[in-house]
Amino acid sequence: MNSAANAIIDVKNLVSHYGDRQILKNVDFSVQPGEVRVIMGGSGSGKSTLLNHLLALLKPTSGTIEVDGVDVVNADRKTLAKLRQKTGVAFQGGALFSSMTVGENIKLPLQQHTDLDDHTIDIMTRLKLELMNLAGFEDLMPSELSGGMLKRAGLARAVIMDPKLLFFDEPSAGLDPVTSVELDELILKLKAAMNMTVVVVTHELESAFKIADKITVLFDGEVAITGTVDEIKNSTDERIQNLINRRPRNDVIDAEQYLQRLTTGKN
Amino acid sequence: MTYQQTTHLKYQQLHLTGEVDLHNSPIVRKQLLNILNEGSSVLVDFSALSYIDSSGIATLVEAFNLAKTKALTLTIVGATGGPLQVLELTNLNKVFTLIESLEGIKE
C-alpha cells in the first residue's frame, strides 16, 4: 500500500498552462485525512494555480486530480456541487458579498444548502462568529470591518458547514503579527476538534512552521520538496534554504534567452 | 445517527449513537424541544456519540436555553473525544452542565 492509498487529495502528474505559458510541471501532491498541509513558494511559483486546480476552478493540460474520491477533472456539475458542500474555502480578502451584512454572508451556505431551522442557523452563525472573535459584528457591513476581521469573517463562512476539507489562501497576508498568530491557533483548533483536513497556501514561514504537518514547496511550477517541518528546515536544497533564510533568488542568467525575451517578448 | 428515549428517575434520557450532522440534527432538535415542552428535564447521553457538528451544537444551545426559561435542566452525560473537544472549542463546556455518568443523578 502506498502512502497515497487513503489520501483525501491525490494529484498526479499535473501539468497546467495559462495560454502558452506552462505554470505547473508534473506536480504530484497527496494529502492524508486530518493533515494540515502547507503549500509554500514565492510569487509565481504556481501555488495559487495548484489551489485553483484542487478547487476545480481550472482545467489542467494533463494529469489527474482526486479530491475526497472524486475525479474533479472529469466530474459532472452535480458531483462537483456535492463535493463543494463538503469543502470550505477562505479566500485572501475574505470575498464577502458587500451588499450583505457579515451575519448574512456567513449563514448564506446554510440557507442555500440545508433545511435547518432558522433558530439553528442563527445560533450556528453566532457560534462561528464567537470562534473567530467577531461576536457582535453580525449586523455590520463588510465595508465596516478591518482587513483582519474580513479574513476571519471569510473563515467563519468557509467553516459554517463544518467541511471535511478546508482550503485557506494566504491566511496571514496583510495581518498584524498577533492576529496572524490567532488565526494559526484557530486552524489548529479546527483541525483537532472538527477533524478537518486543511490545505493552506502561504508564503509566511513562521505560520507554515507552526501549523503544518507537512509542507510542499513549489519552485517554478515544480515540487521542490514535500516534507515535515524538520525535513524542510534541514533540506540541503539551496533554493529551500534561500526561501527559509529570505535570501533573494540568484538566478543564473542565460544571456541568449534574456536577450530573446527582451527583443521578442518570448521565452 | 440513531437515538433512544428512555426514562431515568424524573428525567427523560435521550441516548444518541453515531454521528449528529446537518442531516439528522433536526430530528434531535424535535425530540429535545418536545421533551422540554412536555415539562420534563432532559439527560442527553453522549457516551455512544462519535461526532457532533455545529448544527447539533446549535440545537443543544437552543434546547438548553429553552430548559432554562422553563426552569428545567438539560444535562449532557458522558461526553468524550471529538464531541467533548467541540464543546471545549466553543467554550460551551462552561455553559452546559456536563457529567461523566448517570451515577451522580438523583431524584
Short mmCIF file of all heavy atoms in Angstrom, two decimals, chain B residues 54-100:
data_model
loop_
_atom_site.label_atom_id
_atom_site.label_comp_id
_atom_site.label_asym_id
_atom_site.label_seq_id
_atom_site.Cartn_x
_atom_site.Cartn_y
_atom_site.Cartn_z
N SER B 54 -21.72 21.44 14.10
CA SER B 54 -22.21 22.65 14.78
C SER B 54 -23.72 22.80 14.71
O SER B 54 -24.28 23.51 15.54
CB SER B 54 -21.50 23.92 14.30
OG SER B 54 -20.99 23.79 13.05
N SER B 55 -24.38 22.12 13.77
CA SER B 55 -25.85 22.20 13.80
C SER B 55 -26.36 21.44 15.03
O SER B 55 -27.35 21.85 15.65
CB SER B 55 -26.47 21.64 12.51
OG SER B 55 -26.31 20.25 12.40
N GLY B 56 -25.66 20.37 15.41
CA GLY B 56 -26.02 19.63 16.62
C GLY B 56 -25.75 20.46 17.86
O GLY B 56 -26.56 20.51 18.80
N ILE B 57 -24.61 21.15 17.84
CA ILE B 57 -24.26 22.00 18.98
C ILE B 57 -25.26 23.15 19.11
O ILE B 57 -25.73 23.47 20.20
CB ILE B 57 -22.82 22.56 18.81
CG1 ILE B 57 -21.79 21.41 18.80
CG2 ILE B 57 -22.49 23.58 19.89
CD1 ILE B 57 -21.61 20.71 20.12
N ALA B 58 -25.63 23.75 17.98
CA ALA B 58 -26.60 24.85 17.99
C ALA B 58 -27.94 24.37 18.54
O ALA B 58 -28.62 25.09 19.28
CB ALA B 58 -26.77 25.42 16.58
N THR B 59 -28.30 23.15 18.18
CA THR B 59 -29.54 22.55 18.68
C THR B 59 -29.51 22.44 20.20
O THR B 59 -30.48 22.76 20.90
CB THR B 59 -29.71 21.15 18.05
OG1 THR B 59 -29.85 21.32 16.64
CG2 THR B 59 -30.91 20.42 18.61
N LEU B 60 -28.35 22.01 20.73
CA LEU B 60 -28.20 21.90 22.19
C LEU B 60 -28.31 23.26 22.86
O LEU B 60 -28.91 23.40 23.93
CB LEU B 60 -26.86 21.25 22.54
CG LEU B 60 -26.74 19.76 22.22
CD1 LEU B 60 -25.29 19.30 22.38
CD2 LEU B 60 -27.65 18.93 23.15
N VAL B 61 -27.72 24.28 22.21
CA VAL B 61 -27.78 25.64 22.77
C VAL B 61 -29.24 26.09 22.87
O VAL B 61 -29.69 26.59 23.92
CB VAL B 61 -26.99 26.65 21.89
CG1 VAL B 61 -27.24 28.08 22.35
CG2 VAL B 61 -25.49 26.33 21.94
N GLU B 62 -29.99 25.86 21.79
CA GLU B 62 -31.39 26.28 21.78
C GLU B 62 -32.18 25.53 22.86
O GLU B 62 -32.95 26.13 23.61
CB GLU B 62 -31.99 26.03 20.39
CG GLU B 62 -33.39 26.57 20.24
CD GLU B 62 -34.03 26.22 18.89
OE1 GLU B 62 -33.36 25.56 18.06
OE2 GLU B 62 -35.19 26.60 18.69
N ALA B 63 -31.95 24.22 22.95
CA ALA B 63 -32.68 23.40 23.92
C ALA B 63 -32.29 23.78 25.35
O ALA B 63 -33.14 23.86 26.24
CB ALA B 63 -32.41 21.92 23.66
N PHE B 64 -30.99 24.01 25.56
CA PHE B 64 -30.52 24.38 26.90
C PHE B 64 -31.18 25.69 27.35
O PHE B 64 -31.61 25.83 28.50
CB PHE B 64 -28.99 24.53 26.89
CG PHE B 64 -28.39 24.78 28.24
CD1 PHE B 64 -28.11 23.73 29.10
CD2 PHE B 64 -28.11 26.07 28.67
CE1 PHE B 64 -27.56 23.95 30.36
CE2 PHE B 64 -27.56 26.31 29.92
CZ PHE B 64 -27.28 25.24 30.77
N ASN B 65 -31.27 26.62 26.42
CA ASN B 65 -31.88 27.91 26.73
C ASN B 65 -33.38 27.76 27.03
O ASN B 65 -33.90 28.37 27.95
CB ASN B 65 -31.65 28.88 25.56
CG ASN B 65 -31.96 30.31 25.94
OD1 ASN B 65 -31.53 30.77 26.99
ND2 ASN B 65 -32.74 30.99 25.11
N LEU B 66 -34.02 26.89 26.25
CA LEU B 66 -35.45 26.64 26.49
C LEU B 66 -35.65 26.02 27.87
O LEU B 66 -36.55 26.41 28.62
CB LEU B 66 -36.01 25.72 25.40
CG LEU B 66 -37.49 25.38 25.53
CD1 LEU B 66 -38.37 26.61 25.33
CD2 LEU B 66 -37.90 24.29 24.53
N ALA B 67 -34.78 25.05 28.22
CA ALA B 67 -34.86 24.41 29.53
C ALA B 67 -34.77 25.47 30.63
O ALA B 67 -35.55 25.48 31.58
CB ALA B 67 -33.75 23.38 29.68
N LYS B 68 -33.82 26.39 30.43
CA LYS B 68 -33.60 27.43 31.43
C LYS B 68 -34.85 28.30 31.61
O LYS B 68 -35.25 28.59 32.74
CB LYS B 68 -32.43 28.31 30.97
CG LYS B 68 -31.42 28.51 32.06
CD LYS B 68 -30.23 29.28 31.58
CE LYS B 68 -29.62 30.01 32.77
NZ LYS B 68 -28.55 30.90 32.36
N THR B 69 -35.46 28.70 30.51
CA THR B 69 -36.63 29.57 30.62
C THR B 69 -37.81 28.82 31.26
O THR B 69 -38.71 29.44 31.81
CB THR B 69 -37.08 30.11 29.24
OG1 THR B 69 -37.36 28.99 28.39
CG2 THR B 69 -36.02 30.96 28.59
N LYS B 70 -37.80 27.50 31.18
CA LYS B 70 -38.89 26.71 31.77
C LYS B 70 -38.53 26.19 33.16
O LYS B 70 -39.24 25.34 33.70
CB LYS B 70 -39.22 25.52 30.85
CG LYS B 70 -39.91 25.93 29.56
CD LYS B 70 -40.18 24.70 28.70
CE LYS B 70 -41.00 25.05 27.49
NZ LYS B 70 -42.39 25.41 27.79
N ALA B 71 -37.40 26.64 33.69
CA ALA B 71 -36.91 26.16 34.99
C ALA B 71 -36.72 24.65 35.00
O ALA B 71 -36.95 23.98 36.00
CB ALA B 71 -37.83 26.62 36.12
N LEU B 72 -36.32 24.12 33.85
CA LEU B 72 -35.98 22.69 33.75
C LEU B 72 -34.46 22.59 33.56
O LEU B 72 -33.78 23.61 33.50
CB LEU B 72 -36.69 22.06 32.54
CG LEU B 72 -38.22 22.07 32.59
CD1 LEU B 72 -38.80 21.69 31.23
CD2 LEU B 72 -38.72 21.09 33.66
N THR B 73 -33.94 21.38 33.44
CA THR B 73 -32.50 21.24 33.21
C THR B 73 -32.23 20.40 31.97
O THR B 73 -33.05 19.56 31.57
CB THR B 73 -31.80 20.56 34.41
OG1 THR B 73 -32.33 19.25 34.58
CG2 THR B 73 -31.96 21.37 35.69
N LEU B 74 -31.08 20.69 31.35
CA LEU B 74 -30.58 19.85 30.26
C LEU B 74 -29.14 19.50 30.65
O LEU B 74 -28.32 20.40 30.86
CB LEU B 74 -30.63 20.60 28.92
CG LEU B 74 -30.18 19.81 27.69
CD1 LEU B 74 -30.91 20.28 26.44
CD2 LEU B 74 -28.68 19.87 27.44
N THR B 75 -28.87 18.23 30.79
CA THR B 75 -27.56 17.78 31.24
C THR B 75 -26.95 16.85 30.19
O THR B 75 -27.65 15.98 29.65
CB THR B 75 -27.69 17.01 32.58
OG1 THR B 75 -28.43 17.83 33.49
CG2 THR B 75 -26.33 16.68 33.15
N ILE B 76 -25.69 17.07 29.89
CA ILE B 76 -25.00 16.21 28.92
C ILE B 76 -24.19 15.16 29.69
O ILE B 76 -23.40 15.49 30.57
CB ILE B 76 -24.11 17.04 27.98
CG1 ILE B 76 -25.00 17.95 27.12
CG2 ILE B 76 -23.25 16.14 27.10
CD1 ILE B 76 -24.24 18.99 26.35
N VAL B 77 -24.43 13.91 29.33
CA VAL B 77 -23.81 12.82 30.07
C VAL B 77 -22.75 12.10 29.21
O VAL B 77 -23.02 11.76 28.06
CB VAL B 77 -24.89 11.77 30.47
CG1 VAL B 77 -24.26 10.68 31.36
CG2 VAL B 77 -26.06 12.43 31.18
N GLY B 78 -21.57 11.92 29.79
CA GLY B 78 -20.57 11.04 29.17
C GLY B 78 -19.95 11.54 27.88
O GLY B 78 -19.65 10.73 27.00
N ALA B 79 -19.75 12.86 27.74
CA ALA B 79 -19.10 13.37 26.52
C ALA B 79 -17.60 13.10 26.58
O ALA B 79 -16.94 13.40 27.57
CB ALA B 79 -19.35 14.87 26.39
N THR B 80 -17.07 12.50 25.52
CA THR B 80 -15.62 12.27 25.42
C THR B 80 -15.19 12.54 23.98
O THR B 80 -16.02 12.78 23.11
CB THR B 80 -15.25 10.80 25.75
OG1 THR B 80 -16.01 9.95 24.88
CG2 THR B 80 -15.51 10.44 27.20
N GLY B 81 -13.89 12.48 23.75
CA GLY B 81 -13.34 12.54 22.39
C GLY B 81 -13.75 13.77 21.61
O GLY B 81 -13.82 14.87 22.17
N GLY B 82 -14.07 13.57 20.33
CA GLY B 82 -14.42 14.67 19.42
C GLY B 82 -15.55 15.54 19.94
O GLY B 82 -15.40 16.77 20.01
N PRO B 83 -16.69 14.94 20.35
CA PRO B 83 -17.79 15.77 20.84
C PRO B 83 -17.39 16.66 22.03
O PRO B 83 -17.78 17.82 22.08
CB PRO B 83 -18.85 14.74 21.26
CG PRO B 83 -18.62 13.60 20.32
CD PRO B 83 -17.12 13.53 20.15
N LEU B 84 -16.57 16.12 22.93
CA LEU B 84 -16.11 16.93 24.07
C LEU B 84 -15.22 18.07 23.58
O LEU B 84 -15.32 19.21 24.05
CB LEU B 84 -15.37 16.06 25.09
CG LEU B 84 -14.86 16.78 26.34
CD1 LEU B 84 -16.01 17.40 27.13
CD2 LEU B 84 -14.06 15.83 27.24
N GLN B 85 -14.36 17.76 22.61
CA GLN B 85 -13.47 18.80 22.07
C GLN B 85 -14.25 19.93 21.40
O GLN B 85 -13.88 21.09 21.51
CB GLN B 85 -12.50 18.18 21.04
CG GLN B 85 -11.30 17.52 21.70
CD GLN B 85 -10.29 17.06 20.66
OE1 GLN B 85 -10.67 16.42 19.67
NE2 GLN B 85 -9.04 17.38 20.86
N VAL B 86 -15.35 19.55 20.72
CA VAL B 86 -16.17 20.59 20.08
C VAL B 86 -16.80 21.48 21.14
O VAL B 86 -16.85 22.71 20.99
CB VAL B 86 -17.26 19.97 19.17
CG1 VAL B 86 -18.14 21.05 18.58
CG2 VAL B 86 -16.64 19.16 18.05
N LEU B 87 -17.25 20.88 22.24
CA LEU B 87 -17.84 21.67 23.33
C LEU B 87 -16.78 22.60 23.93
O LEU B 87 -17.08 23.75 24.28
CB LEU B 87 -18.40 20.75 24.42
CG LEU B 87 -19.65 19.95 24.03
CD1 LEU B 87 -20.02 18.96 25.13
CD2 LEU B 87 -20.83 20.88 23.76
N GLU B 88 -15.55 22.11 24.03
CA GLU B 88 -14.47 22.93 24.58
C GLU B 88 -14.09 24.05 23.61
O GLU B 88 -13.85 25.19 24.01
CB GLU B 88 -13.26 22.06 24.92
CG GLU B 88 -13.51 21.20 26.16
CD GLU B 88 -12.48 20.10 26.36
OE1 GLU B 88 -11.63 19.89 25.47
OE2 GLU B 88 -12.53 19.44 27.40
N LEU B 89 -14.03 23.71 22.31
CA LEU B 89 -13.67 24.69 21.29
C LEU B 89 -14.63 25.87 21.31
O LEU B 89 -14.25 27.02 21.12
CB LEU B 89 -13.68 24.03 19.90
CG LEU B 89 -13.42 24.92 18.69
CD1 LEU B 89 -11.97 25.38 18.66
CD2 LEU B 89 -13.72 24.19 17.38
N THR B 90 -15.92 25.55 21.54
CA THR B 90 -16.93 26.60 21.52
C THR B 90 -17.17 27.18 22.92
O THR B 90 -18.08 28.00 23.10
CB THR B 90 -18.26 26.02 20.98
OG1 THR B 90 -18.55 24.80 21.68
CG2 THR B 90 -18.18 25.71 19.50
N ASN B 91 -16.37 26.73 23.91
CA ASN B 91 -16.50 27.19 25.30
C ASN B 91 -17.84 26.84 25.92
O ASN B 91 -18.21 27.39 26.95
CB ASN B 91 -16.29 28.71 25.40
CG ASN B 91 -14.82 29.04 25.42
OD1 ASN B 91 -14.03 28.33 26.04
ND2 ASN B 91 -14.45 30.09 24.72
N LEU B 92 -18.58 25.92 25.29
CA LEU B 92 -19.90 25.58 25.82
C LEU B 92 -19.80 24.62 27.00
O LEU B 92 -20.77 24.41 27.72
CB LEU B 92 -20.78 25.01 24.71
CG LEU B 92 -21.27 26.07 23.74
CD1 LEU B 92 -21.88 25.45 22.50
CD2 LEU B 92 -22.31 26.98 24.42
N ASN B 93 -18.60 24.04 27.18
CA ASN B 93 -18.40 23.22 28.38
C ASN B 93 -18.55 24.08 29.64
O ASN B 93 -18.81 23.56 30.71
CB ASN B 93 -17.04 22.51 28.33
CG ASN B 93 -15.88 23.47 28.17
OD1 ASN B 93 -16.03 24.52 27.54
ND2 ASN B 93 -14.73 23.14 28.71
N LYS B 94 -18.39 25.40 29.46
CA LYS B 94 -18.54 26.31 30.61
C LYS B 94 -19.99 26.78 30.77
O LYS B 94 -20.31 27.49 31.72
CB LYS B 94 -17.62 27.52 30.46
CG LYS B 94 -16.15 27.14 30.55
CD LYS B 94 -15.25 28.25 30.06
CE LYS B 94 -13.84 27.74 29.90
NZ LYS B 94 -13.08 28.52 28.92
N VAL B 95 -20.83 26.46 29.81
CA VAL B 95 -22.23 26.89 29.85
C VAL B 95 -23.13 25.71 30.21
O VAL B 95 -23.97 25.79 31.11
CB VAL B 95 -22.66 27.48 28.49
CG1 VAL B 95 -24.13 27.87 28.50
CG2 VAL B 95 -21.79 28.69 28.14
N PHE B 96 -22.95 24.60 29.49
CA PHE B 96 -23.78 23.41 29.72
C PHE B 96 -23.37 22.73 31.03
O PHE B 96 -22.27 22.93 31.53
CB PHE B 96 -23.58 22.40 28.59
CG PHE B 96 -24.07 22.86 27.25
CD1 PHE B 96 -23.57 22.28 26.08
CD2 PHE B 96 -25.03 23.84 27.13
CE1 PHE B 96 -24.00 22.68 24.83
CE2 PHE B 96 -25.48 24.26 25.87
CZ PHE B 96 -24.96 23.67 24.73
N THR B 97 -24.29 21.91 31.52
CA THR B 97 -23.94 21.04 32.65
C THR B 97 -23.47 19.70 32.07
O THR B 97 -24.21 19.04 31.36
CB THR B 97 -25.18 20.80 33.53
OG1 THR B 97 -25.81 22.07 33.75
CG2 THR B 97 -24.80 20.17 34.85
N LEU B 98 -22.22 19.37 32.37
CA LEU B 98 -21.67 18.11 31.86
C LEU B 98 -21.39 17.19 33.03
O LEU B 98 -20.79 17.60 34.02
CB LEU B 98 -20.34 18.35 31.13
CG LEU B 98 -20.31 19.29 29.93
CD1 LEU B 98 -18.90 19.39 29.37
CD2 LEU B 98 -21.22 18.76 28.82
N ILE B 99 -21.84 15.94 32.92
CA ILE B 99 -21.46 14.96 33.95
C ILE B 99 -20.91 13.73 33.26
O ILE B 99 -21.19 13.46 32.08
CB ILE B 99 -22.66 14.58 34.85
CG1 ILE B 99 -23.82 14.00 34.03
CG2 ILE B 99 -23.13 15.77 35.67
CD1 ILE B 99 -24.92 13.41 34.90
N GLU B 100 -20.07 12.99 34.00
CA GLU B 100 -19.40 11.85 33.38
C GLU B 100 -20.33 10.65 33.21
O GLU B 100 -20.26 9.96 32.22
CB GLU B 100 -18.17 11.47 34.21
CG GLU B 100 -16.99 12.37 33.89
CD GLU B 100 -15.78 12.05 34.72
OE1 GLU B 100 -15.64 10.89 35.14
OE2 GLU B 100 -14.97 12.97 34.94
#
